[in-house]
């Protein structure tokens, strides 16, 4: 027996900014084969995709909830509305986007960001892309940037998607990957042909609006031989009472001698369960560069993984995590060295404040065939008070003695002396602490385009002021 | 002459131990005072307490600055009133350049916005006084600076922030002869440009050579044990502190 989700009468002042939901748009809460078929029919999936969804649902039902990380017992799986479709189909003319959706995105500065510095932009509201645009010269170079659903129906890309979709992160990977396979909706498809070097970044922005809604967007990026792409993904959600779930999936295919830089600043509302899976496979001489900022959410499990499959393939991971009151953020990265002369470099910072808990969890595997590989892991944690927690759980499995592997971890507290020094120059206590934290976070901010670095510093300042919630 | 700083019966402790036992000290606007004394006498504690360091607790007495009782005020408020402390060991803060830090500090203490161009000009003039390589302006605040460069950077902040009262805590310690001369020239420039007051905590008389000292205070065992004019400096330099510390302290 399923129930319609109740749209309770809640004081709107508690919402950051959010617009009226139309109850007719909600499918039944909970996830069943009927719901999956409904989603699939609604989206006009090809048959293989419908079968894939149903298979994923079966896998989902058989897998256990993870028990090794932060507590997710507060997540009510029967009450997550998998799919909420905005009333309008995708737009490429900003003026045609419905006003409330447009206003939300205007507040997030997306059209402006596009005007100023981006090659193309996609904006997802609830479950589907509502706005999409790519600059003409970018499209002319053969670069494809569109939503996955459209691409799946385009005969030029259909086979490419079928042969890559959830091949890197199969539904059997874990329970939420299976859920994703069953209910995924929206997201981006990017294809960069061999030799094309895109000097300006592409960007995608996700936003959850409906209360209790899950978001299961799928990002599939293929960068062919010798190509270069910088892809930026931003996420945010307004605040609601019910626990929201984000179980997105990112699959990155990096070709021979290609480079893909993938940057995300995730800023979820403080009731979200962010159980996201990201994975890259890198061919000979290729490189993946992850820049990852984790802000917001109630609980996060996030460990972008790089599989170095070709000789000389490289992975770099730069991450920052900020856990405030009521947050348990378990983040890190995974690297598999699966070919000779591969190298990886992991450099992370985590900050915990007001009782927040931040855990750095990493895994480096160097296989027998990865002779001559190098790996370096460095993680630093900063606790801003005595009630906050910080843990470091690095795992390493080295199966060859012809590898060079290093690990460095540091956990510290904010120095009273540094705060006094800055205050003696006229900065108030919060500004002084925010400045110290920004400095601590510099390894990430210097990797971001200027306007994102500024946005991240704003986020740090907001977190430092201890915003309600 | 108006009294800028008035310290009355000041008792200061750290971690249950009292360090200063009732210090009285007054500085008029424009005066230069020197504090000398043996190691551990409480000189730096006095300087830090006037700035409002959280490391110390005021257990008695009062600090009045520019007519306002600031005994319980936070350091940032004191800075905005015009107090400056040059640190013995300035802290390294990565992630912000000396230049942008100093610009925001300038805006905080003066309460005025300053255009980037005007600020850069002011900064480069001050750096010239101190023979500082302009490249330091764009480096992280004190990050990787040598001991000498850190002290110069403190005096640079003094020149830019133009406080009413500058407390210099052993700014000359660990500097070679040339660096002491440079720092001393910077202090003199501050004095000439602003007419501000100075409270110089030092072991070394070299830094005082370019300055006119109005008053000297000798601190021993948390108390002011002698006061006088500049002649007291010479007396201490030749005779040491022995006559002030005989008895309880050692």
């Amino acid at each position: 027996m399923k129930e319609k989700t109740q749209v309770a009468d809640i004081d709107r002042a508690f919402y950051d900014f959010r617009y009226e939901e139309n109850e007719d748009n909600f499918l039944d809460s909970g996830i069943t084969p009927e719901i999956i078929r409904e989603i699939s029919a609604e989206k006009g999936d090809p048959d293989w995709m419908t079968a894939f969804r149903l298979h994923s649902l079966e896998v989902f039902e058989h897998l256990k909830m993870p028990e090794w990380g932060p507590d997710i017992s507060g997540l009510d799986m029967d009450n997550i509305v998998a799919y909420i479709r905005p009333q309008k189909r995708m737009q490429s003319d900003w003026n045609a986007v419905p006003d409330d959706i447009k206003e939300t995105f205007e507040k997030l500065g997306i059209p402006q960001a596009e005007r100023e510095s981006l090659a193309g932009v996609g904006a997802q509201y609830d479950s589907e892309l509502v706005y999409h645009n790519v600059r003409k010269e970018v499209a002319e170079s053969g670069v494809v940037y569109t939503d996955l659903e459209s691409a799946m129906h385009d005969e030029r890309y259909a086979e490419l998607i079928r042969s890559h979709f959830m091949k890197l992160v199969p539904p059997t990977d874990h329970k939420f990957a299976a859920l994703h396979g069953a209910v995924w909706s929206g997201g981006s498809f990017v294809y960069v042909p061999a030799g094309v070097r895109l000097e300006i970044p592409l960007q995608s922005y996700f936003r959850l609006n409906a209360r209790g809604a899950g978001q299961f967007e799928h990002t599939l990026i293929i960068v062919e031989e010798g190509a270069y792409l910088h892809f930026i993904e931003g996420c945010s959600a307004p605040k609601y009472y019910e626990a929201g779930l984000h179980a997105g999936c990112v699959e990155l295919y990096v070709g021979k001698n290609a480079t893909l830089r993938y940057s995300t600043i995730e800023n979820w509302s403080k009731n979200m369960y962010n159980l996201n899976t990201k994975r890259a496979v890198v061919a000979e001489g290729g490189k993946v560069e992850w820049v990852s900022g984790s802000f917001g959410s109630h609980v996060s499990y996030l460990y972008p993984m790089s599989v170095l499959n070709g000789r000389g393939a490289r992975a770099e991971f730069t991450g920052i995590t900020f856990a405030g009151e009521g947050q348990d953020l378990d983040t890190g990265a995974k690297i598999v060295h699966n070919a000779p002369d591969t190298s990886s470099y992991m450099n992370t910072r985590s900050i915990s404040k007001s009782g927040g808990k931040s855990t750095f969890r990493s895994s480096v595997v160097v296989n027998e065939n990865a002779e001559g590989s190098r790996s370096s892991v460095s993680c630093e944690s900063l606790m801003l008070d005595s009630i906050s927690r910080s843990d470091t759980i690095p795992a390493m499995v080295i199966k060859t003695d012809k590898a060079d592997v290093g690990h460095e971890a540091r956990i510290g507290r904010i120095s009273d002396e540094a705060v006094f020094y800055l205050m003696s120059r006229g900065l108030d206590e919060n500004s002084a602490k925010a400045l110290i934290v920004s400095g601590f976070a510099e390894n990430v901010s210097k990797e971001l385009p200027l306007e994102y670095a500024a946005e991240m510093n704003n986020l740090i300042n907001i977190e430092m002021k201890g915003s309600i919630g | 002459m108006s009294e800028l700083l008035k310290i009355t019966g000041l008792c200061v402790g750290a971690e249950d131990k009292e360090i200063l036992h009732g210090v009285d000290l007054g500085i008029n606007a424009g005066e230069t005072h020197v504090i000398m004394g043996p190691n551990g006498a409480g000189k730096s504690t006095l300087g830090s307490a006037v700035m409002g360091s959280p490391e110390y607790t005021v257990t008695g007495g009062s600090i009045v600055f520019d007519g306002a009782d600031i005994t319980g005020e936070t350091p940032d408020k004191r800075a905005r009133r015009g107090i400056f402390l040059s640190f013995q060991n300035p802290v390294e803060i990565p992630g912000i350049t000396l230049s942008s830090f100093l610009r925001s500090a300038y805006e905080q203490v003066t309460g005025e916005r300053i255009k980037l161009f005007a600020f850069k000009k002011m900064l480069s003039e001050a750096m010239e006084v101190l023979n500082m390589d302009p490249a330091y302006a764009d480096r992280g605040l004190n990050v990787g600076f040598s001991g000498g460069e850190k002290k110069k950077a403190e005096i640079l902040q003094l020149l830019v922030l133009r406080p009413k009262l500058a407390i210099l805590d052993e700014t000359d310690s660990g500097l070679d002869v040339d660096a002491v001369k440079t720092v001393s020239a910077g202090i003199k420039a501050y004095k000439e440009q602003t007419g501000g007051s100075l409270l110089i905590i030092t072991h070394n008389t070299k830094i005082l050579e370019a300055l006119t000292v109005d008053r000297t205070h000798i601190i021993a065992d948390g108390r002011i044990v002698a006061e006088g004019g500049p002649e007291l400096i010479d007396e201490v330099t030749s005779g040491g502190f022995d006559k002030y510390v005989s008895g309880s302290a050692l």
Side-chain angles (χ1 to χ4, degrees), chain B residues 167-194:
Chain B
I167 305 164
L168 309 181
D169 188 3
E170 308 213 3
T171 298
D172 46 4
S173 71
L175 297 185
D176 62 32
V177 181
D178 288 339
V180 170
K181 264 188 199 151
T182 309
V183 162
S184 178
I187 298 166
K188 190 161 183 251
Y190 157 73
K191 192 85 192 167
E192 285 167 2
Q193 289 168 14
T194 68

PDB file of all heavy atoms in Angstrom, chain B residues 167-194:
ATOM      1  N   ILE B 167      52.810  49.360  20.467  1.00  0.00           N
ATOM      2  CA  ILE B 167      53.582  48.612  21.456  1.00  0.00           C
ATOM      3  C   ILE B 167      54.513  47.690  20.679  1.00  0.00           C
ATOM      4  O   ILE B 167      54.051  46.869  19.882  1.00  0.00           O
ATOM      5  CB  ILE B 167      52.654  47.770  22.357  1.00  0.00           C
ATOM      6  CG1 ILE B 167      51.594  48.670  23.008  1.00  0.00           C
ATOM      7  CG2 ILE B 167      53.462  47.015  23.410  1.00  0.00           C
ATOM      8  CD1 ILE B 167      50.410  47.906  23.591  1.00  0.00           C
ATOM      9  N   LEU B 168      55.797  47.844  20.867  1.00  0.00           N
ATOM     10  CA  LEU B 168      56.755  47.038  20.120  1.00  0.00           C
ATOM     11  C   LEU B 168      57.405  46.038  21.062  1.00  0.00           C
ATOM     12  O   LEU B 168      58.175  46.416  21.943  1.00  0.00           O
ATOM     13  CB  LEU B 168      57.824  47.925  19.467  1.00  0.00           C
ATOM     14  CG  LEU B 168      57.285  49.111  18.646  1.00  0.00           C
ATOM     15  CD1 LEU B 168      58.448  49.894  18.030  1.00  0.00           C
ATOM     16  CD2 LEU B 168      56.331  48.644  17.563  1.00  0.00           C
ATOM     17  N   ASP B 169      57.041  44.772  20.894  1.00  0.00           N
ATOM     18  CA  ASP B 169      57.522  43.745  21.814  1.00  0.00           C
ATOM     19  C   ASP B 169      58.799  43.098  21.271  1.00  0.00           C
ATOM     20  O   ASP B 169      58.730  42.217  20.421  1.00  0.00           O
ATOM     21  CB  ASP B 169      56.418  42.692  22.009  1.00  0.00           C
ATOM     22  CG  ASP B 169      56.787  41.691  23.105  1.00  0.00           C
ATOM     23  OD1 ASP B 169      57.852  41.860  23.738  1.00  0.00           O
ATOM     24  OD2 ASP B 169      56.002  40.744  23.310  1.00  0.00           O
ATOM     25  N   GLU B 170      59.926  43.536  21.764  1.00  0.00           N
ATOM     26  CA  GLU B 170      61.223  42.993  21.352  1.00  0.00           C
ATOM     27  C   GLU B 170      61.342  42.868  19.841  1.00  0.00           C
ATOM     28  O   GLU B 170      61.758  41.842  19.305  1.00  0.00           O
ATOM     29  CB  GLU B 170      61.470  41.638  22.022  1.00  0.00           C
ATOM     30  CG  GLU B 170      61.268  41.752  23.522  1.00  0.00           C
ATOM     31  CD  GLU B 170      62.176  40.852  24.328  1.00  0.00           C
ATOM     32  OE1 GLU B 170      63.016  40.163  23.729  1.00  0.00           O
ATOM     33  OE2 GLU B 170      62.069  40.875  25.557  1.00  0.00           O
ATOM     34  N   THR B 171      60.962  43.962  19.183  1.00  0.00           N
ATOM     35  CA  THR B 171      61.024  43.963  17.728  1.00  0.00           C
ATOM     36  C   THR B 171      62.458  43.798  17.235  1.00  0.00           C
ATOM     37  O   THR B 171      62.708  43.344  16.126  1.00  0.00           O
ATOM     38  CB  THR B 171      60.409  45.276  17.210  1.00  0.00           C
ATOM     39  OG1 THR B 171      59.038  45.285  17.626  1.00  0.00           O
ATOM     40  CG2 THR B 171      60.460  45.390  15.706  1.00  0.00           C
ATOM     41  N   ASP B 172      63.424  44.135  18.097  1.00  0.00           N
ATOM     42  CA  ASP B 172      64.830  44.074  17.692  1.00  0.00           C
ATOM     43  C   ASP B 172      65.469  42.709  17.966  1.00  0.00           C
ATOM     44  O   ASP B 172      66.562  42.436  17.498  1.00  0.00           O
ATOM     45  CB  ASP B 172      65.630  45.160  18.416  1.00  0.00           C
ATOM     46  CG  ASP B 172      65.297  45.211  19.905  1.00  0.00           C
ATOM     47  OD1 ASP B 172      64.499  44.364  20.380  1.00  0.00           O
ATOM     48  OD2 ASP B 172      65.814  46.099  20.590  1.00  0.00           O
ATOM     49  N   SER B 173      64.757  41.829  18.661  1.00  0.00           N
ATOM     50  CA  SER B 173      65.425  40.582  19.041  1.00  0.00           C
ATOM     51  C   SER B 173      65.666  39.706  17.821  1.00  0.00           C
ATOM     52  O   SER B 173      64.826  39.603  16.919  1.00  0.00           O
ATOM     53  CB  SER B 173      64.581  39.814  20.072  1.00  0.00           C
ATOM     54  OG  SER B 173      63.429  39.297  19.466  1.00  0.00           O
ATOM     55  N   GLY B 174      66.828  39.120  17.787  1.00  0.00           N
ATOM     56  CA  GLY B 174      67.164  38.209  16.686  1.00  0.00           C
ATOM     57  C   GLY B 174      67.516  38.899  15.379  1.00  0.00           C
ATOM     58  O   GLY B 174      67.617  38.235  14.355  1.00  0.00           O
ATOM     59  N   LEU B 175      67.674  40.228  15.407  1.00  0.00           N
ATOM     60  CA  LEU B 175      68.006  40.936  14.168  1.00  0.00           C
ATOM     61  C   LEU B 175      69.492  41.277  14.128  1.00  0.00           C
ATOM     62  O   LEU B 175      70.096  41.564  15.150  1.00  0.00           O
ATOM     63  CB  LEU B 175      67.197  42.232  14.065  1.00  0.00           C
ATOM     64  CG  LEU B 175      65.679  42.099  13.974  1.00  0.00           C
ATOM     65  CD1 LEU B 175      65.051  43.461  13.744  1.00  0.00           C
ATOM     66  CD2 LEU B 175      65.281  41.139  12.853  1.00  0.00           C
ATOM     67  N   ASP B 176      70.058  41.271  12.911  1.00  0.00           N
ATOM     68  CA  ASP B 176      71.450  41.713  12.803  1.00  0.00           C
ATOM     69  C   ASP B 176      71.502  43.241  12.811  1.00  0.00           C
ATOM     70  O   ASP B 176      70.468  43.912  12.774  1.00  0.00           O
ATOM     71  CB  ASP B 176      72.119  41.110  11.558  1.00  0.00           C
ATOM     72  CG  ASP B 176      71.440  41.554  10.279  1.00  0.00           C
ATOM     73  OD1 ASP B 176      70.921  42.687  10.228  1.00  0.00           O
ATOM     74  OD2 ASP B 176      71.406  40.743   9.327  1.00  0.00           O
ATOM     75  N   VAL B 177      72.704  43.786  12.861  1.00  0.00           N
ATOM     76  CA  VAL B 177      72.873  45.228  13.044  1.00  0.00           C
ATOM     77  C   VAL B 177      72.155  46.032  11.957  1.00  0.00           C
ATOM     78  O   VAL B 177      71.453  47.004  12.249  1.00  0.00           O
ATOM     79  CB  VAL B 177      74.384  45.588  13.048  1.00  0.00           C
ATOM     80  CG1 VAL B 177      74.565  47.088  13.270  1.00  0.00           C
ATOM     81  CG2 VAL B 177      75.103  44.820  14.139  1.00  0.00           C
ATOM     82  N   ASP B 178      72.293  45.588  10.703  1.00  0.00           N
ATOM     83  CA  ASP B 178      71.660  46.328   9.611  1.00  0.00           C
ATOM     84  C   ASP B 178      70.137  46.294   9.719  1.00  0.00           C
ATOM     85  O   ASP B 178      69.467  47.299   9.486  1.00  0.00           O
ATOM     86  CB  ASP B 178      72.077  45.740   8.251  1.00  0.00           C
ATOM     87  CG  ASP B 178      73.531  46.070   7.948  1.00  0.00           C
ATOM     88  OD1 ASP B 178      74.056  47.040   8.559  1.00  0.00           O
ATOM     89  OD2 ASP B 178      74.138  45.366   7.121  1.00  0.00           O
ATOM     90  N   ALA B 179      69.620  45.124  10.063  1.00  0.00           N
ATOM     91  CA  ALA B 179      68.168  44.989  10.172  1.00  0.00           C
ATOM     92  C   ALA B 179      67.637  45.858  11.315  1.00  0.00           C
ATOM     93  O   ALA B 179      66.573  46.473  11.184  1.00  0.00           O
ATOM     94  CB  ALA B 179      67.784  43.531  10.377  1.00  0.00           C
ATOM     95  N   VAL B 180      68.387  45.937  12.422  1.00  0.00           N
ATOM     96  CA  VAL B 180      67.962  46.802  13.532  1.00  0.00           C
ATOM     97  C   VAL B 180      67.890  48.243  13.055  1.00  0.00           C
ATOM     98  O   VAL B 180      66.925  48.966  13.347  1.00  0.00           O
ATOM     99  CB  VAL B 180      68.924  46.676  14.738  1.00  0.00           C
ATOM    100  CG1 VAL B 180      68.618  47.748  15.779  1.00  0.00           C
ATOM    101  CG2 VAL B 180      68.818  45.297  15.373  1.00  0.00           C
ATOM    102  N   LYS B 181      68.874  48.642  12.271  1.00  0.00           N
ATOM    103  CA  LYS B 181      68.883  50.021  11.735  1.00  0.00           C
ATOM    104  C   LYS B 181      67.653  50.278  10.874  1.00  0.00           C
ATOM    105  O   LYS B 181      67.017  51.327  10.978  1.00  0.00           O
ATOM    106  CB  LYS B 181      70.143  50.224  10.871  1.00  0.00           C
ATOM    107  CG  LYS B 181      71.268  50.879  11.638  1.00  0.00           C
ATOM    108  CD  LYS B 181      72.408  51.224  10.698  1.00  0.00           C
ATOM    109  CE  LYS B 181      73.672  51.442  11.510  1.00  0.00           C
ATOM    110  NZ  LYS B 181      74.875  51.105  10.753  1.00  0.00           N
ATOM    111  N   THR B 182      67.328  49.316  10.014  1.00  0.00           N
ATOM    112  CA  THR B 182      66.181  49.470   9.116  1.00  0.00           C
ATOM    113  C   THR B 182      64.882  49.574   9.907  1.00  0.00           C
ATOM    114  O   THR B 182      64.058  50.460   9.672  1.00  0.00           O
ATOM    115  CB  THR B 182      66.093  48.251   8.172  1.00  0.00           C
ATOM    116  OG1 THR B 182      67.361  48.057   7.574  1.00  0.00           O
ATOM    117  CG2 THR B 182      65.063  48.468   7.100  1.00  0.00           C
ATOM    118  N   VAL B 183      64.730  48.659  10.858  1.00  0.00           N
ATOM    119  CA  VAL B 183      63.525  48.654  11.677  1.00  0.00           C
ATOM    120  C   VAL B 183      63.420  49.955  12.463  1.00  0.00           C
ATOM    121  O   VAL B 183      62.352  50.567  12.573  1.00  0.00           O
ATOM    122  CB  VAL B 183      63.535  47.420  12.606  1.00  0.00           C
ATOM    123  CG1 VAL B 183      62.558  47.582  13.752  1.00  0.00           C
ATOM    124  CG2 VAL B 183      63.212  46.164  11.803  1.00  0.00           C
ATOM    125  N   SER B 184      64.539  50.391  12.974  1.00  0.00           N
ATOM    126  CA  SER B 184      64.589  51.619  13.751  1.00  0.00           C
ATOM    127  C   SER B 184      64.191  52.813  12.888  1.00  0.00           C
ATOM    128  O   SER B 184      63.449  53.705  13.325  1.00  0.00           O
ATOM    129  CB  SER B 184      66.004  51.755  14.314  1.00  0.00           C
ATOM    130  OG  SER B 184      66.123  52.935  15.020  1.00  0.00           O
ATOM    131  N   ALA B 185      64.647  52.817  11.624  1.00  0.00           N
ATOM    132  CA  ALA B 185      64.258  53.892  10.698  1.00  0.00           C
ATOM    133  C   ALA B 185      62.750  53.858  10.460  1.00  0.00           C
ATOM    134  O   ALA B 185      62.103  54.913  10.348  1.00  0.00           O
ATOM    135  CB  ALA B 185      65.009  53.743   9.378  1.00  0.00           C
ATOM    136  N   GLY B 186      62.206  52.655  10.403  1.00  0.00           N
ATOM    137  CA  GLY B 186      60.760  52.514  10.213  1.00  0.00           C
ATOM    138  C   GLY B 186      59.989  53.076  11.390  1.00  0.00           C
ATOM    139  O   GLY B 186      58.972  53.757  11.220  1.00  0.00           O
ATOM    140  N   ILE B 187      60.474  52.805  12.597  1.00  0.00           N
ATOM    141  CA  ILE B 187      59.803  53.307  13.799  1.00  0.00           C
ATOM    142  C   ILE B 187      59.860  54.834  13.835  1.00  0.00           C
ATOM    143  O   ILE B 187      58.882  55.508  14.164  1.00  0.00           O
ATOM    144  CB  ILE B 187      60.454  52.696  15.065  1.00  0.00           C
ATOM    145  CG1 ILE B 187      60.275  51.168  15.047  1.00  0.00           C
ATOM    146  CG2 ILE B 187      59.852  53.294  16.321  1.00  0.00           C
ATOM    147  CD1 ILE B 187      61.149  50.437  16.044  1.00  0.00           C
ATOM    148  N   LYS B 188      61.025  55.349  13.427  1.00  0.00           N
ATOM    149  CA  LYS B 188      61.187  56.803  13.397  1.00  0.00           C
ATOM    150  C   LYS B 188      60.205  57.410  12.389  1.00  0.00           C
ATOM    151  O   LYS B 188      59.592  58.452  12.647  1.00  0.00           O
ATOM    152  CB  LYS B 188      62.632  57.125  13.004  1.00  0.00           C
ATOM    153  CG  LYS B 188      62.994  58.570  13.155  1.00  0.00           C
ATOM    154  CD  LYS B 188      64.509  58.765  13.215  1.00  0.00           C
ATOM    155  CE  LYS B 188      64.837  60.229  13.446  1.00  0.00           C
ATOM    156  NZ  LYS B 188      65.420  60.864  12.259  1.00  0.00           N
ATOM    157  N   ALA B 189      60.062  56.759  11.245  1.00  0.00           N
ATOM    158  CA  ALA B 189      59.144  57.261  10.217  1.00  0.00           C
ATOM    159  C   ALA B 189      57.704  57.280  10.740  1.00  0.00           C
ATOM    160  O   ALA B 189      56.958  58.228  10.506  1.00  0.00           O
ATOM    161  CB  ALA B 189      59.233  56.399   8.962  1.00  0.00           C
ATOM    162  N   TYR B 190      57.332  56.230  11.486  1.00  0.00           N
ATOM    163  CA  TYR B 190      55.989  56.182  12.081  1.00  0.00           C
ATOM    164  C   TYR B 190      55.766  57.393  12.970  1.00  0.00           C
ATOM    165  O   TYR B 190      54.744  58.075  12.915  1.00  0.00           O
ATOM    166  CB  TYR B 190      55.807  54.888  12.882  1.00  0.00           C
ATOM    167  CG  TYR B 190      54.744  54.960  13.953  1.00  0.00           C
ATOM    168  CD1 TYR B 190      53.386  54.966  13.626  1.00  0.00           C
ATOM    169  CD2 TYR B 190      55.098  55.054  15.304  1.00  0.00           C
ATOM    170  CE1 TYR B 190      52.418  55.060  14.610  1.00  0.00           C
ATOM    171  CE2 TYR B 190      54.136  55.151  16.295  1.00  0.00           C
ATOM    172  CZ  TYR B 190      52.792  55.157  15.948  1.00  0.00           C
ATOM    173  OH  TYR B 190      51.832  55.261  16.931  1.00  0.00           O
ATOM    174  N   LYS B 191      56.789  57.629  13.804  1.00  0.00           N
ATOM    175  CA  LYS B 191      56.725  58.730  14.765  1.00  0.00           C
ATOM    176  C   LYS B 191      56.575  60.075  14.033  1.00  0.00           C
ATOM    177  O   LYS B 191      55.736  60.901  14.389  1.00  0.00           O
ATOM    178  CB  LYS B 191      58.038  58.701  15.567  1.00  0.00           C
ATOM    179  CG  LYS B 191      58.057  59.561  16.766  1.00  0.00           C
ATOM    180  CD  LYS B 191      57.458  58.846  17.937  1.00  0.00           C
ATOM    181  CE  LYS B 191      57.227  59.873  19.046  1.00  0.00           C
ATOM    182  NZ  LYS B 191      56.393  59.343  20.085  1.00  0.00           N
ATOM    183  N   GLU B 192      57.378  60.246  12.996  1.00  0.00           N
ATOM    184  CA  GLU B 192      57.340  61.513  12.267  1.00  0.00           C
ATOM    185  C   GLU B 192      56.036  61.685  11.492  1.00  0.00           C
ATOM    186  O   GLU B 192      55.491  62.788  11.419  1.00  0.00           O
ATOM    187  CB  GLU B 192      58.525  61.591  11.290  1.00  0.00           C
ATOM    188  CG  GLU B 192      59.850  61.862  12.004  1.00  0.00           C
ATOM    189  CD  GLU B 192      61.057  61.619  11.098  1.00  0.00           C
ATOM    190  OE1 GLU B 192      60.870  61.269   9.903  1.00  0.00           O
ATOM    191  OE2 GLU B 192      62.184  61.761  11.601  1.00  0.00           O
ATOM    192  N   GLN B 193      55.561  60.599  10.911  1.00  0.00           N
ATOM    193  CA  GLN B 193      54.367  60.702  10.073  1.00  0.00           C
ATOM    194  C   GLN B 193      53.088  60.863  10.881  1.00  0.00           C
ATOM    195  O   GLN B 193      52.133  61.480  10.421  1.00  0.00           O
ATOM    196  CB  GLN B 193      54.243  59.461   9.179  1.00  0.00           C
ATOM    197  CG  GLN B 193      55.289  59.398   8.068  1.00  0.00           C
ATOM    198  CD  GLN B 193      55.325  58.033   7.391  1.00  0.00           C
ATOM    199  OE1 GLN B 193      54.427  57.216   7.563  1.00  0.00           O
ATOM    200  NE2 GLN B 193      56.376  57.789   6.620  1.00  0.00           N
ATOM    201  N   THR B 194      53.047  60.270  12.068  1.00  0.00           N
ATOM    202  CA  THR B 194      51.774  60.245  12.804  1.00  0.00           C
ATOM    203  C   THR B 194      51.810  60.993  14.121  1.00  0.00           C
ATOM    204  O   THR B 194      50.767  61.332  14.663  1.00  0.00           O
ATOM    205  CB  THR B 194      51.365  58.800  13.143  1.00  0.00           C
ATOM    206  OG1 THR B 194      52.298  58.294  14.092  1.00  0.00           O
ATOM    207  CG2 THR B 194      51.373  57.910  11.909  1.00  0.00           C
TER     208      THR B 194
END
